[in-house]
Amino acid sequence: MPTNEPERLWTILEILQWTISFFKEKEIEPARLTAEVLLAHTLKKDRLHLYVNHDEPLTPAEREAFKALIRLRVQGTPTQYLTERQEFWSMEFAVAPGVLIPRPETEHLVEAAIERAKPLEQPAIADIGTGSGVIAISLHKELPHAAISASDISEAALNIARRNAETLFPNGHRIAFVQGDLFAPFAGQCFDLIVSNPPYISTEEYAGLSREIREHEPPTALLAGAEGLDVYRRLIADAANYVRPSGWLLFEIGNTQAEAVTRLCQENGWTVEQVIKDYAGLNRVVAARR
Ligand SMILES: C[S@@+](CC[C@H](N)C(=O)[O-])C[C@H]1O[C@@H](n2cnc3c(N)ncnc32)[C@H](O)[C@@H]1O
Protein backbone atom coordinates (compact mmCIF):
# COMPACT_ATOMS: atom_id res chain seq x y z
CA MET A 1 0.00 0.00 0.00
CA PRO A 2 1.63 3.26 -1.02
CA THR A 3 2.51 5.40 1.99
CA ASN A 4 2.64 9.21 2.32
CA GLU A 5 -0.92 9.59 1.09
CA PRO A 6 -2.64 10.92 4.20
CA GLU A 7 -5.47 12.56 2.29
CA ARG A 8 -6.32 9.65 0.05
CA LEU A 9 -9.21 7.43 1.13
CA TRP A 10 -9.02 3.86 -0.06
CA THR A 11 -12.18 1.91 -0.80
CA ILE A 12 -12.50 -1.74 0.12
CA LEU A 13 -12.19 -2.73 -3.55
CA GLU A 14 -9.12 -0.59 -4.19
CA ILE A 15 -7.28 -1.77 -1.11
CA LEU A 16 -8.12 -5.41 -1.90
CA GLN A 17 -6.86 -5.08 -5.47
CA TRP A 18 -3.64 -3.51 -4.25
CA THR A 19 -3.12 -6.16 -1.56
CA ILE A 20 -3.83 -9.09 -3.90
CA SER A 21 -1.17 -7.98 -6.35
CA PHE A 22 1.28 -7.26 -3.48
CA PHE A 23 0.71 -10.77 -2.06
CA LYS A 24 1.18 -12.29 -5.53
CA GLU A 25 4.47 -10.43 -5.89
CA LYS A 26 5.56 -11.73 -2.46
CA GLU A 27 4.34 -15.28 -3.27
CA ILE A 28 1.73 -15.33 -0.54
CA GLU A 29 -0.80 -17.95 -1.64
CA PRO A 30 -3.76 -17.91 -2.01
CA ALA A 31 -3.41 -14.14 -2.53
CA ARG A 32 -7.07 -13.18 -2.93
CA LEU A 33 -8.40 -15.32 -0.10
CA THR A 34 -5.64 -14.16 2.28
CA ALA A 35 -6.29 -10.50 1.45
CA GLU A 36 -10.03 -10.90 1.93
CA VAL A 37 -9.74 -12.84 5.18
CA LEU A 38 -7.34 -10.28 6.68
CA LEU A 39 -9.41 -7.30 5.57
CA ALA A 40 -12.65 -8.83 6.84
CA HIS A 41 -10.87 -9.53 10.15
CA THR A 42 -9.65 -5.92 10.34
CA LEU A 43 -13.16 -4.59 9.73
CA LYS A 44 -14.69 -7.20 12.13
CA LYS A 45 -17.05 -8.30 9.33
CA ASP A 46 -17.45 -11.42 7.22
CA ARG A 47 -16.07 -11.71 3.67
CA LEU A 48 -19.48 -11.12 2.11
CA HIS A 49 -19.43 -7.60 3.59
CA LEU A 50 -16.41 -6.80 1.40
CA TYR A 51 -18.37 -7.57 -1.77
CA VAL A 52 -21.57 -5.84 -0.75
CA ASN A 53 -19.74 -2.71 0.46
CA HIS A 54 -16.84 -2.66 -2.02
CA ASP A 55 -17.05 1.12 -2.56
CA GLU A 56 -16.93 1.98 1.15
CA PRO A 57 -13.77 3.81 2.24
CA LEU A 58 -11.60 2.56 5.11
CA THR A 59 -10.99 4.88 8.03
CA PRO A 60 -7.33 5.80 8.61
CA ALA A 61 -7.33 3.56 11.72
CA GLU A 62 -8.67 0.58 9.73
CA ARG A 63 -6.11 1.21 7.01
CA GLU A 64 -3.25 1.26 9.57
CA ALA A 65 -4.51 -1.92 11.28
CA PHE A 66 -4.78 -3.70 7.91
CA LYS A 67 -1.32 -2.52 6.89
CA ALA A 68 0.13 -4.02 10.08
CA LEU A 69 -1.45 -7.41 9.27
CA ILE A 70 -0.16 -7.30 5.68
CA ARG A 71 3.34 -6.64 6.98
CA LEU A 72 3.22 -9.56 9.43
CA ARG A 73 1.78 -11.91 6.79
CA VAL A 74 4.52 -11.02 4.31
CA GLN A 75 7.12 -11.58 7.05
CA GLY A 76 5.78 -15.15 7.43
CA THR A 77 3.17 -15.15 10.20
CA PRO A 78 0.45 -17.65 9.19
CA THR A 79 -2.93 -16.05 8.44
CA GLN A 80 -4.57 -18.11 11.20
CA TYR A 81 -2.27 -16.65 13.87
CA LEU A 82 -3.24 -13.16 12.66
CA THR A 83 -6.99 -13.78 12.69
CA GLU A 84 -6.64 -16.18 15.67
CA ARG A 85 -9.19 -18.46 14.01
CA GLN A 86 -9.34 -21.69 12.03
CA GLU A 87 -12.36 -23.59 10.83
CA PHE A 88 -12.54 -27.31 11.58
CA TRP A 89 -15.51 -29.68 11.36
CA SER A 90 -17.68 -26.65 10.42
CA MET A 91 -16.85 -24.86 13.68
CA GLU A 92 -14.69 -21.78 14.32
CA PHE A 93 -11.78 -22.58 16.64
CA ALA A 94 -9.54 -20.07 18.36
CA VAL A 95 -5.84 -20.61 17.68
CA ALA A 96 -2.77 -18.73 18.83
CA PRO A 97 1.00 -19.04 18.61
CA GLY A 98 1.90 -21.93 20.92
CA VAL A 99 -0.79 -24.21 19.53
CA LEU A 100 -0.74 -26.07 16.20
CA ILE A 101 -3.03 -24.71 13.49
CA PRO A 102 -5.48 -27.59 12.89
CA ARG A 103 -5.21 -29.13 9.41
CA PRO A 104 -8.22 -30.25 7.36
CA GLU A 105 -6.77 -33.79 6.93
CA THR A 106 -7.37 -34.38 10.63
CA GLU A 107 -11.11 -34.51 9.91
CA HIS A 108 -10.49 -38.04 8.54
CA LEU A 109 -9.38 -39.10 12.01
CA VAL A 110 -12.54 -37.59 13.52
CA GLU A 111 -14.66 -39.46 10.95
CA ALA A 112 -12.93 -42.76 11.71
CA ALA A 113 -13.51 -42.26 15.44
CA ILE A 114 -17.21 -41.40 15.00
CA GLU A 115 -17.78 -44.48 12.85
CA ARG A 116 -16.36 -46.73 15.57
CA ALA A 117 -17.83 -44.97 18.60
CA LYS A 118 -21.36 -44.44 17.26
CA PRO A 119 -22.61 -48.00 17.88
CA LEU A 120 -21.45 -47.84 21.53
CA GLU A 121 -23.95 -46.73 24.15
CA GLN A 122 -21.60 -44.54 26.16
CA PRO A 123 -18.17 -44.61 24.58
CA ALA A 124 -15.15 -43.52 26.59
CA ILE A 125 -12.67 -41.72 24.36
CA ALA A 126 -9.26 -40.18 25.02
CA ASP A 127 -7.72 -37.62 22.63
CA ILE A 128 -4.00 -37.49 23.32
CA GLY A 129 -2.19 -34.31 22.25
CA THR A 130 -5.39 -32.34 21.85
CA GLY A 131 -3.76 -29.03 20.84
CA SER A 132 -6.59 -26.55 20.18
CA GLY A 133 -9.05 -29.32 21.10
CA VAL A 134 -10.40 -29.84 17.57
CA ILE A 135 -10.64 -33.64 17.72
CA ALA A 136 -12.16 -33.88 21.21
CA ILE A 137 -14.60 -31.03 20.56
CA SER A 138 -15.72 -32.38 17.16
CA LEU A 139 -16.28 -35.79 18.76
CA HIS A 140 -18.28 -34.19 21.56
CA LYS A 141 -20.44 -32.42 18.97
CA GLU A 142 -21.23 -35.66 17.14
CA LEU A 143 -21.32 -37.99 20.15
CA PRO A 144 -22.84 -35.94 22.99
CA HIS A 145 -23.17 -39.05 25.21
CA ALA A 146 -19.51 -39.98 24.95
CA ALA A 147 -17.23 -39.44 27.94
CA ILE A 148 -14.31 -37.63 26.38
CA SER A 149 -10.93 -36.87 27.93
CA ALA A 150 -8.39 -34.70 26.19
CA SER A 151 -4.76 -34.28 27.20
CA ASP A 152 -1.75 -32.30 26.16
CA ILE A 153 1.72 -31.75 27.54
CA SER A 154 1.39 -28.04 26.79
CA GLU A 155 -0.54 -25.90 29.25
CA ALA A 156 -0.83 -23.15 26.60
CA ALA A 157 -2.54 -25.58 24.22
CA LEU A 158 -4.88 -26.84 26.95
CA ASN A 159 -5.93 -23.31 27.84
CA ILE A 160 -6.94 -22.71 24.23
CA ALA A 161 -8.69 -26.09 24.02
CA ARG A 162 -10.67 -25.35 27.20
CA ARG A 163 -11.59 -21.92 25.86
CA ASN A 164 -12.76 -23.44 22.56
CA ALA A 165 -14.94 -25.98 24.36
CA GLU A 166 -16.50 -23.25 26.50
CA THR A 167 -17.13 -20.95 23.53
CA LEU A 168 -18.55 -23.65 21.28
CA PHE A 169 -20.65 -25.25 24.04
CA PRO A 170 -21.70 -22.30 26.22
CA ASN A 171 -24.25 -24.45 28.05
CA GLY A 172 -21.58 -26.85 29.22
CA HIS A 173 -19.76 -29.90 27.88
CA ARG A 174 -18.49 -33.27 29.04
CA ILE A 175 -14.86 -33.03 27.98
CA ALA A 176 -12.24 -33.45 30.71
CA PHE A 177 -9.05 -31.56 29.83
CA VAL A 178 -5.91 -32.81 31.58
CA GLN A 179 -2.24 -31.99 31.34
CA GLY A 180 0.56 -34.52 31.13
CA ASP A 181 2.91 -36.70 29.14
CA LEU A 182 0.97 -39.10 26.87
CA PHE A 183 -0.84 -41.65 29.12
CA ALA A 184 0.44 -40.20 32.42
CA PRO A 185 -2.82 -38.32 33.22
CA PHE A 186 -4.87 -41.48 32.60
CA ALA A 187 -3.46 -43.86 35.22
CA GLY A 188 -6.04 -46.52 36.07
CA GLN A 189 -8.46 -45.49 33.28
CA CYS A 190 -9.63 -47.53 30.28
CA PHE A 191 -11.13 -46.26 27.04
CA ASP A 192 -13.04 -47.66 24.08
CA LEU A 193 -11.05 -45.46 21.73
CA ILE A 194 -7.68 -43.79 21.98
CA VAL A 195 -7.48 -41.10 19.30
CA SER A 196 -4.34 -39.12 18.59
CA ASN A 197 -2.79 -36.81 16.05
CA PRO A 198 0.63 -36.84 17.70
CA PRO A 199 3.83 -35.12 16.58
CA TYR A 200 5.12 -37.23 13.65
CA ILE A 201 7.64 -35.17 11.68
CA SER A 202 11.17 -36.56 11.32
CA THR A 203 14.21 -34.38 11.92
CA GLU A 204 15.02 -34.41 8.19
CA GLU A 205 11.48 -33.57 7.08
CA TYR A 206 11.32 -30.75 9.61
CA ALA A 207 14.37 -29.08 8.05
CA GLY A 208 12.50 -29.09 4.72
CA LEU A 209 9.28 -27.53 6.04
CA SER A 210 8.44 -23.94 5.13
CA ARG A 211 9.90 -21.15 7.28
CA GLU A 212 6.31 -20.20 8.03
CA ILE A 213 5.83 -23.49 9.89
CA ARG A 214 9.30 -23.75 11.45
CA GLU A 215 9.37 -20.19 12.73
CA HIS A 216 5.79 -19.93 13.94
CA GLU A 217 4.24 -23.29 14.85
CA PRO A 218 5.35 -25.03 18.06
CA PRO A 219 8.10 -27.64 17.40
CA THR A 220 6.75 -29.81 20.28
CA ALA A 221 3.56 -30.28 18.24
CA LEU A 222 5.48 -31.50 15.19
CA LEU A 223 8.82 -33.14 15.93
CA ALA A 224 9.09 -36.83 16.86
CA GLY A 225 12.71 -37.91 16.58
CA ALA A 226 14.91 -39.09 13.73
CA GLU A 227 12.18 -41.04 11.90
CA GLY A 228 9.14 -39.20 13.24
CA LEU A 229 8.05 -42.36 15.05
CA ASP A 230 9.11 -41.63 18.65
CA VAL A 231 5.64 -40.70 19.92
CA TYR A 232 3.86 -43.58 18.12
CA ARG A 233 6.44 -45.97 19.60
CA ARG A 234 5.65 -44.82 23.15
CA LEU A 235 1.88 -44.66 22.61
CA ILE A 236 1.69 -48.14 21.05
CA ALA A 237 3.92 -49.71 23.70
CA ASP A 238 1.63 -48.49 26.52
CA ALA A 239 -1.78 -48.47 24.86
CA ALA A 240 -2.88 -51.96 25.97
CA ASN A 241 -3.05 -50.70 29.57
CA TYR A 242 -5.57 -48.01 28.64
CA VAL A 243 -7.79 -49.61 25.99
CA ARG A 244 -10.69 -51.97 26.69
CA PRO A 245 -10.36 -55.47 25.17
CA SER A 246 -12.31 -54.73 21.97
CA GLY A 247 -11.21 -51.09 21.84
CA TRP A 248 -9.49 -49.12 19.12
CA LEU A 249 -6.31 -47.20 18.65
CA LEU A 250 -6.71 -44.47 16.00
CA PHE A 251 -3.79 -42.37 14.82
CA GLU A 252 -3.26 -39.72 12.22
CA ILE A 253 -0.03 -40.58 10.41
CA GLY A 254 2.39 -38.95 8.01
CA ASN A 255 1.77 -40.20 4.47
CA THR A 256 4.92 -42.36 4.41
CA GLN A 257 4.45 -43.90 7.85
CA ALA A 258 1.67 -46.51 7.38
CA GLU A 259 4.09 -49.42 7.09
CA ALA A 260 6.26 -48.43 10.04
CA VAL A 261 3.26 -47.72 12.30
CA THR A 262 1.64 -51.03 11.25
CA ARG A 263 4.85 -52.84 12.20
CA LEU A 264 4.97 -51.09 15.59
CA CYS A 265 1.36 -52.15 16.18
CA GLN A 266 2.08 -55.77 15.27
CA GLU A 267 5.14 -55.90 17.54
CA ASN A 268 2.92 -54.80 20.43
CA GLY A 269 -0.03 -57.16 19.84
CA TRP A 270 -2.23 -54.78 17.82
CA THR A 271 -3.72 -55.53 14.40
CA VAL A 272 -4.13 -52.68 11.94
CA GLU A 273 -7.62 -53.23 10.52
CA GLN A 274 -7.69 -50.18 8.26
CA VAL A 275 -5.43 -47.56 6.76
CA ILE A 276 -7.57 -44.63 5.64
CA LYS A 277 -6.52 -42.30 2.84
CA ASP A 278 -7.16 -38.56 2.72
CA TYR A 279 -8.75 -36.72 -0.23
CA ALA A 280 -5.34 -36.47 -1.88
CA GLY A 281 -5.14 -40.29 -1.87
CA LEU A 282 -2.40 -40.31 0.79
CA ASN A 283 -2.34 -42.65 3.78
CA ARG A 284 -3.61 -40.55 6.69
CA VAL A 285 -5.20 -42.63 9.46
CA VAL A 286 -4.36 -45.99 11.01
CA ALA A 287 -7.06 -47.92 12.91
CA ALA A 288 -5.77 -50.77 15.08
CA ARG A 289 -7.44 -53.24 17.40
CA ARG A 290 -6.15 -55.68 19.97
C1 LIG B 1 0.28 -32.55 15.80
S1 LIG B 1 -0.28 -31.66 17.23
C2 LIG B 1 -2.02 -32.04 17.15
C3 LIG B 1 -2.91 -31.02 17.80
C4 LIG B 1 -4.41 -31.27 17.57
N1 LIG B 1 -4.82 -32.56 18.08
C5 LIG B 1 -4.74 -31.17 16.10
O1 LIG B 1 -5.00 -32.23 15.49
O2 LIG B 1 -4.73 -30.06 15.55
C6 LIG B 1 0.34 -32.64 18.54
C7 LIG B 1 -0.02 -32.20 19.94
O3 LIG B 1 0.58 -33.13 20.86
C8 LIG B 1 1.11 -32.43 21.97
N2 LIG B 1 2.19 -33.25 22.55
C9 LIG B 1 3.46 -33.36 22.11
N3 LIG B 1 4.15 -34.22 22.90
C10 LIG B 1 3.28 -34.67 23.83
C11 LIG B 1 3.39 -35.56 24.94
N4 LIG B 1 4.52 -36.19 25.21
N5 LIG B 1 2.29 -35.77 25.72
C12 LIG B 1 1.11 -35.14 25.44
N6 LIG B 1 0.96 -34.28 24.41
C13 LIG B 1 2.02 -34.04 23.62
C14 LIG B 1 1.56 -31.10 21.41
O4 LIG B 1 1.64 -30.12 22.41
C15 LIG B 1 0.48 -30.83 20.35
O5 LIG B 1 -0.56 -30.07 20.87
Side-chain angles (χ1 to χ4, degrees):
M1 200 177 317
T3 48
N4 307 324
E5 284 190 45
E7 304 307 325
R8 167 103 151 79
L9 284 177
W10 287 68
T11 65
I12 285 178
L13 181 63
E14 285 172 327
I15 216 156
L16 269 181
Q17 284 172 339
W18 184 90
T19 309
I20 290 163
S21 70
F22 184 60
F23 278 167
K24 281 186 179 158
E25 188 188 313
K26 298 288 178 187
E27 296 178 5
I28 302 291
E29 294 291 346
R32 170 176 294 279
L33 181 65
T34 307
E36 288 182 1
V37 165
L38 292 180
L39 184 56
H41 176 72
T42 306
L43 302 178
K44 300 185 176 64
K45 304 282 188 201
D46 57 21
R47 280 171 54 218
L48 182 63
H49 173 93
L50 307 179
Y51 289 94
V52 177
N53 301 281
H54 59 88
D55 52 355
E56 248 181 39
L58 268 68
T59 66
E62 287 167 345
R63 179 179 146 167
E64 283 312 304
F66 184 50
K67 234 161 81 175
L69 291 183
I70 293 175
R71 204 174 301 123
L72 287 168
R73 184 66 196 89
V74 166
Q75 285 164 0
T77 306
T79 305
Q80 293 91 334
Y81 286 154
L82 296 173
T83 60
E84 301 187 316
R85 308 227 79 63
Q86 171 65 32
E87 194 193 308
F88 186 92
W89 205 258
S90 303
M91 290 180 279
E92 280 275 315
F93 285 84
V95 293
V99 67
L100 189 92
I101 298 167
R103 308 299 204 261
E105 305 89 86
T106 303
E107 294 191 345
H108 293 286
L109 179 61
V110 172
E111 250 166 31
I114 293 168
E115 191 186 314
R116 285 160 179 84
K118 211 151 208 173
L120 307 176
E121 206 167 297
Q122 217 190 21
I125 306 175
D127 168 24
I128 298 183
T130 197
S132 59
V134 283
I135 298 171
I137 292 170
S138 304
L139 291 177
H140 176 64
K141 182 182 177 192
E142 303 300 331
L143 306 162
H145 300 301
I148 300 177
S149 301
S151 73
D152 207 289
I153 201 158
S154 153
E155 188 61 44
L158 277 174
N159 285 336
I160 289 177
R162 281 192 197 100
R163 178 147 61 89
N164 277 322
E166 282 159 19
T167 311
L168 291 162
F169 297 98
N171 298 324
H173 60 79
R174 285 164 47 100
I175 309 170
F177 290 100
V178 284
Q179 190 189 8
D181 181 24
L182 302 189
F183 287 114
F186 301 122
Q189 295 185 53
C190 255
F191 299 93
D192 297 295
L193 273 79
I194 300 282
V195 179
S196 184
N197 173 20
Y200 58 72
I201 306 290
S202 69
T203 321
E204 193 185 329
E205 250 182 304
Y206 188 75
L209 291 179
S210 68
R211 279 184 55 202
E212 201 164 295
I213 296 177
R214 280 183 290 116
E215 292 178 7
H216 295 274
E217 299 208 60
T220 44
L222 295 164
L223 275 164
E227 307 150 297
L229 297 172
D230 285 8
V231 183
Y232 296 123
R233 206 170 273 126
R234 291 181 54 211
L235 282 169
I236 295 167
D238 269 3
N241 298 320
Y242 301 91
V243 181
R244 290 182 181 149
S246 56
W248 290 92
L249 207 46
L250 297 171
F251 294 134
E252 176 167 324
I253 56 163
N255 60 22
T256 59
Q257 293 173 323
E259 215 175 292
V261 173
T262 301
R263 200 172 334 110
L264 284 174
C265 284
Q266 281 163 354
E267 286 167 7
N268 288 275
W270 292 85
T271 307
V272 170
E273 294 208 349
Q274 201 183 3
V275 176
I276 299 163
K277 292 188 189 299
D278 62 22
Y279 295 128
L282 304 171
N283 289 332
R284 191 53 66 197
V285 174
V286 159
R289 222 171 187 187
R290 274 212 270 169

